[in-house]
Amino acid sequence: MATPLTVAVQMDPLASINIAGDSSFALMLSAQARGHHLFHYLAEDLNYRDGRVWALAHPVTVQRQQGAHFTFGDPVRLDLGREADVVLMRQDPPFDLGYITATHLLERIADETLIVNDPSSVRNAPEKIFVLDYAHFMPPTLITRSLDEARAFLAEHGDIVIKPLHGNGGKAIFRVGADGANLSALIEVFNNTWREPHMVQAFLPAVAKGDKRIVLVDGEIAGAINRLPGEGEIRSNLAVGGSAEKTELTPREREICAALAPELKRRGLLFVGIDVIGGEWLTEINVTSPTGIVAIERFDGTDVAGMIWDAIEAKCTRA
């Protein structure tokens, strides 16, 4: 059995999660079963003083009982460099200045404590930007704030999808058909809502057959599920009503994973979820707070949480 680790989990409020499908909770259950000591804190509880980064954190125990799924101890001032072996950075986006600031603070202790995922890499590899390094696997893609550019792209591809560049969970994804109805209004709303450019992609009809989430652990394939869109939807995210089913990987998907693996390992991106449509089109590389491990275990019986802890424990042992 591995030496017990002190694990600080930076995530959203535990009271608000749905334990039936929450990957962070599954990681906490797995860590606790291995004898590791858990602490929970919010990103807003991070502090810096006199060269140290610390959080007001609660010792926590967890159990599979919704509504009574966690018990907090009295909060303590936890020095994340000296007193924690591992920090799991698991708060959900938005990937805003608060998120970015948390990565800067955690980066200051990265030579003392294992941060999963590496904070500088999380900051420098946002989901819909990092993926551009692998454009040859992607559907035709435009990043712009320009209505004229979006119209030209629509004219070329006939059917497009527009989504926020730093969105998550399937939120604010719109399909625009060949007639361009509402394209100008949609770009206006996006430009008024977000200062950054937006992602425009050719619509992939194959999304009707699902959007595959593939989880990689330290660059290795851990498992996958196929997420099917709900009735009348183009979005297959489980958070917006999609459903999951068992799946197998295509040769093209394995090729994509093999291409990504060296860079994921180099960047310290230990837990990553990629999205692939139609067995061939890479759309996102999720590094901030990937999900899907509970559904994979349900369909395949694969203990992905255990694989993640095996990788973490190996890195802590080498350190």
Side-chain angles (χ1 to χ4, degrees), residues 23 27 90 116-118 121-122 125 127 130-131 134 213-224 256-257 260-261 263-275 282 284-293 296 304 308:
S23 292
L27 287 170
R90 292 289 306 169
V116 178
N117 285 320
D118 178 88
S121 292
V122 167
E127 273 64 333
F130 180 27
V131 70
Y134 303 91
R213 164 58 56 89
I214 306 170
V215 170
L216 296 102
V217 176
D218 206 20
E220 300 295 325
I221 297 169
I256 291 170
C257 293
L260 293 175
E263 187 65 10
L264 298 181
K265 292 173 70 72
R266 188 187 73 80
R267 291 181 180 233
L269 295 170
L270 188 145
F271 177 15
V272 171
I274 69 170
D275 297 337
L282 176 66
E284 293 189 17
I285 302 172
N286 296 277
V287 304
T288 49
S289 183
T291 61
I293 66 176
I296 290 171
V304 181
I308 291 169

Side-chain angles (χ1 to χ4, degrees), residues 70-143:
F70 70 97
T71 302
F72 276 160
D74 293 334
V76 299
R77 178 174 167 148
L78 186 69
D79 185 312
L80 296 176
R82 292 174 178 161
E83 298 174 331
D85 299 297
V86 182
V87 172
L88 298 184
M89 189 167 60
R90 292 289 306 169
Q91 80 269 24
D92 287 337
F95 194 72
D96 55 14
L97 281 175
Y99 211 116
I100 290 169
T101 300
T103 69
H104 280 294
L105 290 174
L106 291 177
E107 189 178 7
R108 293 179 173 273
I109 61 164
D111 60 343
E112 300 177 90
T113 300
L114 178 64
I115 318 292
V116 178
N117 285 320
D118 178 88
S120 62
S121 292
V122 167
R123 184 175 65 248
N124 294 328
E127 273 64 333
K128 297 180 183 70
I129 297 293
F130 180 27
V131 70
L132 301 178
D133 289 355
Y134 303 91
H136 55 295
F137 292 124
M138 295 178 67
T141 297
L142 167 72
I143 294 180

Side-chain angles (χ1 to χ4, degrees), residues 34-49:
R34 290 171 176 240
H36 300 321
H37 308 299
L38 294 172
F39 289 82
H40 173 276
Y41 70 93
L42 307 177
E44 63 198 50
D45 294 327
L46 281 172
N47 300 271
Y48 169 90
R49 182 174 178 179

